[in-house]
Structure formats: structure tokens, C-alpha cells
Amino acid sequence: MFKRETKNFINIDPLQTGGILTKEARETLMEWGDGYSICDFCQGRLDEIKTPPIYNFVHNDLPKFLGCDVARVTNGAREGKFIVMHSLALKTVKDAYVILDGNAHYSSYVAAERANLKVVEVPKTDYPDFRINVDTYAETIEETKKKGEVILSLLTYPDGNYGNLPNAKAIAKVCHEYDIPLLLNCAYAIGRMPVKMDKIDADFIVGSGHKSMAASGPIGVLGMKEDYAELVLRKSDKYKNKEVELLGCTARGATIMTLIASFPHVKKRVKDWDREVEKARWFAKKMEELEIVQLGDKPHNHDLMFFHAENLYEISRRVKGGRFFLYRELKAKKIHGIKPGLTRYFKLSTYMVPKEDLKYVLETFKEIIAKYLKGIKS
Ligand SMILES: *Cc1c(COP(=O)(O)O)cnc(C)c1O
């Protein structure tokens, strides 16, 4: 068997902290790992399978959890975004635009490109905040409307770099003043923190099972207002019960079973969000004592944090082996999650990482800095 090197490391990789399987999901993965295992009793549509209880999950649990009218399971957050964009694009003639926040994920751009839509970005503020402001949203919509039809606006909540949480409710209000639906990209929110589409008054919401819902994936969730269900979930002409945008069926196997297996735990863990935020803030404060500065929202409101370390950068310019020294040092201490080669700017996540482990991470940073600075000075 091909072994996974980092399996027993302390994991602070933002991509991975929210996707670690629960015990239940790990067992489920073995039980349902065979191809098409969930299709024993399928009557023709994934979301209507009663055994295992996919119907109940998709039509009861999930909409309640997302605060939406209608929900579906997709193969990822990006697939959800594409499904929405592609559906809305059907109604347009040409020069249709999607407005994306300046912190949007690459997959939002690619989804728009694939749907043949043009993209306009809402600028973010400069270093060190990188914030998305409500007024800038309004201005960008105003400007873009002069060029063509704006069919959707998207807000990354939070974004995947700085972990910033913009004022989504106010942005939804602005979009609606221009009759533009808002899609919330909650890949880093759903399954970690309490978030409800209806409270924000957005029109669509997407989440990522493997990023934030303790599922093996690839799997995502998509929620929408009833008004959009007829268009987005329109059925095939020939195969009357198949939803075209979902290509009939999406997550048809173990991926959806791990999502369902972890769901009771996920529902519970979002209630501990305040504690996670408190822990993240504590960690950031300790990093700053080492002169590693946290950028983005401050005080921070999310476990995903972006740091600026001039001292580590300075070391990387002088040591043998250069910028990979940090990765090597952390690896030797069995800490995984900061990308190889990064020293000056990097992101990490403290989500569900025990405080004792975080103390060890902080101690390790301290030791690394002390060790190399001594080397530089002598
Ligand atoms: C990880 C991430 C995605 C992609 O999620 P998938 O489920 O893998 O498609 C999209 N947006 C943001 C902000 C992300 O961080």
C-alpha cells in the first residue's frame, strides 16, 4: 500500500483541518467504498434514495442546516458555483457578467469561464487588511451594468487566503437593490461556523464537504431559494426525472456516505465556533510575540489566518538551502501544513487543533527563529 507520510503529523494545513474524517465516517468509508455501493435501491435519482437515507439528508437535514429552501449534493463547491452560473447564463444573450469579490477563489473564475461569462472584480483594500467593502461592491455593480448584464454576484465567505468575513448581509442588500442574485461561497464556512443563507438573505450558497464537513470527498453542497429551483434544477427532456445541471447524479458513492456519517458531529461542532475563534486569536497573538504578523481582519474571526514573517524571510535569504528551510524544520518536528518554499507570507489553520499541539507549534517557531538568527548574527 502507498503510505501517507503526514498522517500522524500535527496538521495546520487550511485545506485539511476541516476535512479530517470522524470515526464514523472512517468506518463508513470502508463499508461503502465499493463503486456505486449506494445504488442498490435507487429508483433513478440520487437524492431520492431512501436506503441508505440520502433522501432524508438532502431534503430535510441539509436545507435546514444551510437555511435554504432547496438543497442538493454536488461533487464540490466549484461544481455548485458552475451549476448556478451555467443555469443563469442560459437566460442571457451576450456580454453577461459575474461580479466576484477581489478575494475570490480561482475556482470561481474558472467556473465563470466555463459558463462563458465575463468576470469583473470588486477591488479589495490594500495591505494589511485586504478587506471587501460594501460601498465598493455597489460601485463595481454600477460600473459593470454600463457594460452589460450582470447576472450574478458572488461573495467568498470567508475567502481562502486571509479568512476575512465581509459584511455579507449588507452586500446581499446592495445586490438586491440592483436585482442581482448573490451566491455565497462558503467553502470555508459551512461545517465550521454557523452560517445560514436565509439570515444573510443570499440566493445561493455552496459548501465543500472535504474542506469543512469532515467528508472524504470530493463532495459539495448547494442550497438555493425556491424561486431558482425550477431553472437550476430543470429536468432533462428525454429522461424526465434527471436534473440536467447535475448530469443526472452527482456524488454517487462513498463520498456522500462519509458526508452523512459526519453530519451529526458537524452540526454539533459549529456550535463550538466561538471557542475556535478565541483559540485562533490567541494563536495569532502568540505569533505576533515572535514578530510574525497576522494580516486580514483584526481581531480575526476565523481559524484560517494569513501571516507575514519578515524574520523568517530574512533567514531564508541567508541560510544554505534557502527558502525551504522552514518546511524542512517543521517537517522534522512533524508539523504539516505550511507550503514548501514559503517563508515571508503563509497561511495556516488552527481549526480543531488541540491547544497543546498549537503550543508545540508556537514553541517550534520560536526555536527555529532563535536557532537561525544566532547563525546569521555570528
Ligand atoms: C477550497 C475552496 C474552494 C474549492 O472547494 P471544492 O469543494 O474543492 O470545489 C472554493 N472556494 C474557496 C474559497 C475555497 O477555499
Side-chain angles (χ1 to χ4, degrees), residues 12-253:
I12 51 170
D13 186 338
L15 282 179
Q16 295 176 343
T17 52
I20 294 169
L21 296 185
T22 56
K23 183 170 150 286
E24 293 75 13
R26 214 170 283 286
E27 285 166 6
T28 298
L29 188 58
M30 289 305 293
E31 182 77 11
W32 296 89
D34 295 330
Y36 285 123
S37 58
I38 59 164
C39 305
D40 285 352
F41 305 105
C42 181
Q43 304 270 326
R45 229 175 70 197
L46 174 78
D47 61 287
E48 292 181 342
I49 295 174
K50 300 251 168 57
T51 312
I54 293 172
Y55 179 91
N56 187 51
F57 178 72
V58 174
H59 295 281
N60 295 322
D61 292 343
L62 196 53
K64 215 182 291 169
F65 188 63
L66 300 175
C68 66
D69 302 323
V70 181
R72 289 291 185 274
V73 168
T74 65
N75 284 317
R78 69 195 69 199
E79 280 81 358
K81 292 183 285 190
F82 175 70
I83 285 166
V84 172
M85 290 179 190
H86 188 247
S87 301
L88 295 176
L90 290 174
K91 297 194 303 180
T92 63
V93 191
K94 69 176 184 78
D95 282 347
Y97 288 85
V98 181
I99 307 258
L100 302 182
D101 62 279
N103 283 331
H105 193 249
Y106 80 87
S107 63
S108 300
Y109 287 85
V110 176
E113 270 185 85
R114 188 183 178 195
N116 241 329
L117 295 166
K118 295 186 172 167
V119 167
V120 171
E121 235 184 80
V122 179
K124 60 178 168 234
T125 64
D126 294 335
Y127 182 101
D129 296 330
F130 306 108
R131 248 205 303 273
I132 303 294
N133 288 327
V134 182
D135 294 348
T136 330
Y137 240 94
E139 284 159 26
T140 308
I141 292 174
E142 193 78 49
E143 283 304 306
T144 312
K145 274 176 79 88
K146 291 178 191 160
K147 294 195 274 188
E149 191 185 352
V150 180
I151 60 160
L152 180 70
S153 117
L154 181 149
L155 181 66
T156 320
Y157 188 80
D159 72 87
N161 260 333
Y162 310 106
N164 282 354
L165 286 159
N167 187 344
K169 200 169 175 175
I171 289 170
K173 189 158 174 278
V174 165
C175 294
H176 291 156
E177 278 163 14
Y178 292 95
D179 278 328
I180 299 164
L182 177 68
L183 184 155
L184 290 177
N185 176 9
C186 293
Y188 265 112
I190 294 168
R192 298 166 111 92
M193 55 183 273
V195 51
K196 300 273 186 229
M197 193 189 94
D198 51 3
K199 283 206 181 136
I200 292 168
D201 195 28
D203 303 273
F204 302 98
I205 190 165
V206 301
S208 175
H210 43 284
K211 169 102 29 89
S212 299
M213 300 177 82
S216 66
I219 194 157
V221 295
L222 164 66
M224 68 196 86
K225 283 188 182 162
E226 182 71 52
D227 307 357
Y228 292 98
E230 198 181 317
L231 172 68
V232 175
L233 302 176
R234 68 197 178 281
K235 309 247 175 39
S236 159
D237 282 341
K238 186 167 161 64
Y239 298 96
K240 300 291 181 200
N241 62 347
K242 306 286 189 191
E243 291 165 343
V244 174
E245 289 290 349
L246 308 185
L247 299 178
C249 293
T250 54
R252 47 209 179 278

Side-chain angles (χ1 to χ4, degrees), residues 288-349:
E288 298 211 331
E289 287 171 14
L290 304 174
E291 290 177 37
I292 300 175
V293 183
Q294 184 246 312
L295 307 182
D297 287 348
K298 243 172 157 171
H300 209 56
N301 303 306
H302 199 274
D303 60 272
L304 167 61
M305 291 176 285
F306 192 91
F307 288 98
H308 180 181
E310 214 46 42
N311 48 7
L312 294 171
Y313 174 64
E314 205 47 47
I315 292 167
S316 77
R317 293 182 10 162
R318 300 181 189 213
V319 294
K320 244 191 284 168
R323 60 197 183 91
F324 288 92
F325 85 96
L326 181 62
Y327 173 74
R328 276 201 316 269
E329 289 285 347
L330 293 172
K331 188 176 170 182
K333 294 284 191 167
K334 292 194 181 305
I335 297 169
H336 167 76
I338 294 174
K339 279 211 181 114
L342 298 185
T343 57
R344 195 181 209 172
Y345 300 108
F346 53 83
K347 54 183 179 177
L348 57 80
S349 159

